């Protein structure tokens, strides 16, 4: 595991090896009227956005816990106003959701990586980051690990955020609703870039994001049953179902948060004048 957490000097130089994945088998393009395309015998998927519409896809499987990897190359150049997403979400009005959102920016300025966790329709747990590499120059791997004890967000194998199960102190944690994986590319220039001050430059359209290497290690939910045994009895060392951050991984995460985190709801006392959320005080 320690080999996944490289020294800062080499973080931007990681070479991503393509894994065996087949988008034709594993996902379906759900909207965009042809703006989403699967090519290269199912190995590559692209989403595009123009002034008329964006596009999106979802996994064919539902999951109740899993480790989801996706290699993504984001919209290059002037991406201001655009949002590219990768997230897990359950249906309904009191949904659960685990978010990666990539907020575009003008040429030469970095993307903002926005993360959030919703449980029973309640979120407000945002953390935002800049990245230590250009996410438009090549593919990079973004991972959501979701097990009964924690949610870990990682980038190229380096953890950037951990959201622990703190139900014991009254913090909601998503663990009962199966979720699908979704991804989309859409226009949000009313808020995405500098709070909506910078608008989408439609002369640069179509905007395109690319995907490959979708990997799903997960408890697949089908017909009301999980493909995994009782997860409360899972304790296999090394299994993603019981995975936690070792000391090396925690050190890597602290390095990212110290150098690249730009917003943390847990330090925003103005937003929570009645007191910070319980999980922030317990962290």
């Amino acid at each position: 595991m320690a080999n996944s957490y490289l020294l800062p000097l080499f973080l931007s130089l990681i070479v991503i090896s393509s894994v065996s994945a087949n988008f034709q088998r594993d996902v379906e393009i759900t909207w965009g009227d042809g703006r989403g395309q699967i090519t290269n015998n199912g190995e590559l998927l692209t989403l595009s956005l123009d002034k008329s519409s964006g596009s999106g896809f979802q996994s064919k499987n539902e999951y109740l816990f899993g480790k989801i990897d996706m290699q993504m190359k984001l919209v290059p150049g002037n991406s201001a106003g655009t949002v590219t997403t990768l997230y897990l979400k359950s249906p309904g009005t009191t949904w659960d959701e685990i978010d990666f959102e990539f907020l575009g920016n003008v040429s030469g300025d970095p993307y903002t990586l926005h993360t959030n966790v919703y449980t029973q329709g309640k979120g407000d747990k945002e953390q935002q980051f800049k990245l230590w590499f250009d996410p438009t120059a090549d593919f990079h791997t973004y991972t959501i690990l979701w097990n009964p004890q924690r949610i870990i967000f990682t980038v190229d194998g380096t953890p950037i955020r951990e959201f622990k199960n703190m139900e014991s102190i009254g913090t909601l944690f998503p663990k009962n609703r199966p979720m699908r994986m979704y991804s989309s590319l859409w226009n949000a220039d009313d808020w995405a870039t500098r709070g909506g001050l910078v608008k989408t430059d439609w002369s640069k359209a179509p905007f395109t994001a690319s995907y490959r290497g979708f990997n799903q290690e997960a408890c697949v939910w089908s017909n009301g049953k999980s493909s995994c045994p009782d997860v409360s009895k899972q304790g296999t060392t090394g299994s993603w179902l019981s995975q936690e951050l070792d000391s090396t991984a925690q050190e890597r995460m602290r390095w990212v948060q110290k150098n690249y985190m730009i917003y943390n709801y847990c330090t925003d006392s103005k937003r929570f004048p009645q007191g910070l959320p319980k999980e922030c005080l317990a962290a």
Side-chain angles (χ1 to χ4, degrees):
M1 185 175 182
N3 291 335
S4 298
Y5 306 100
L6 305 180
L7 293 173
L9 179 62
F10 299 106
L11 282 172
S12 62
L13 303 178
I14 295 174
V15 177
I16 303 300
S17 299
S18 204
V19 298
S20 178
N22 190 309
F23 286 113
Q24 292 173 334
R25 177 192 64 212
D26 297 330
V27 309
E28 55 184 343
I29 296 173
T30 49
W31 64 284
D33 194 22
R35 292 173 179 82
Q37 297 285 333
I38 298 174
T39 58
N40 291 11
N41 296 315
E43 294 182 358
L44 181 70
L45 188 152
T46 56
L47 296 180
S48 65
L49 163 70
D50 57 38
K51 199 168 185 178
S52 297
S53 178
S55 48
F57 65 94
Q58 68 181 45
S59 62
K60 292 182 179 179
N61 287 329
E62 281 188 296
Y63 318 104
L64 187 59
F65 306 119
K67 181 183 179 185
I68 306 299
D69 302 304
M70 185 72 77
Q71 296 177 20
M72 301 171 62
K73 183 163 63 172
L74 301 182
V75 174
N78 186 354
S79 59
T82 70
V83 176
T84 309
T85 65
L86 177 69
Y87 60 101
L88 300 174
K89 187 178 181 182
S90 67
T93 56
T94 55
W95 72 98
D96 294 348
E97 185 173 343
I98 305 169
D99 283 344
F100 274 125
E101 293 185 338
F102 303 87
L103 312 184
N105 214 331
V106 296
S107 297
D109 287 348
Y111 269 76
T112 295
L113 173 52
H114 176 99
T115 66
N116 205 350
V117 177
Y118 289 79
T119 310
Q120 299 175 25
K122 298 177 181 179
D124 298 332
K125 302 184 186 305
E126 302 93 340
Q127 289 184 357
Q128 294 183 339
F129 305 82
K130 299 299 184 184
L131 294 168
W132 51 89
F133 53 84
D134 179 359
T136 74
D138 204 349
F139 286 90
H140 293 268
T141 301
Y142 304 91
T143 302
I144 296 172
L145 187 149
W146 168 41
N147 66 32
Q149 296 82 35
R150 57 188 43 82
I151 296 163
I152 302 172
F153 298 80
T154 67
V155 177
D156 286 341
T158 296
I160 65 170
R161 177 179 185 179
E162 180 182 29
F163 184 81
K164 294 181 179 179
N165 184 338
M166 295 190 183
E167 290 178 304
S168 60
I169 62 170
T171 298
L172 297 175
F173 185 86
K175 66 173 190 179
N176 298 316
R177 293 173 172 81
M179 297 194 257
R180 292 188 192 274
M181 183 276 297
Y182 295 87
S183 187
S184 58
L185 172 59
W186 51 289
N187 178 52
D189 65 2
D190 57 332
W191 63 270
T193 305
R194 294 180 58 195
L197 293 177
V198 182
K199 301 300 183 183
T200 303
D201 181 357
W202 293 112
S203 71
K204 306 298 183 183
F207 304 97
T208 301
S210 302
Y211 302 77
R212 71 183 188 190
F214 172 41
N215 186 53
Q216 46 186 336
E217 298 178 62
C219 298
V220 175
W221 188 264
S222 180
N223 298 318
K225 294 183 179 180
S226 172
S227 63
C228 295
D230 183 356
V231 296
S232 66
K233 299 178 181 178
Q234 293 291 325
T236 305
T237 301
S239 167
W240 60 265
L241 262 173
S242 58
Q243 185 172 334
E244 57 187 34
L245 297 178
D246 63 14
S247 59
T248 302
Q250 291 173 8
E251 182 180 350
R252 299 301 312 121
M253 184 171 68
R254 285 193 294 268
W255 177 83
V256 171
Q257 292 181 351
K258 177 182 178 181
N259 291 283
Y260 295 99
M261 180 184 284
I262 58 172
Y263 177 79
N264 182 3
Y265 78 106
C266 277
T267 61
D268 193 347
S269 56
K270 292 183 179 179
R271 182 178 175 185
F272 302 102
Q274 303 304 316
L276 294 173
K278 293 178 181 179
E279 69 271 14
C280 299
L281 302 175

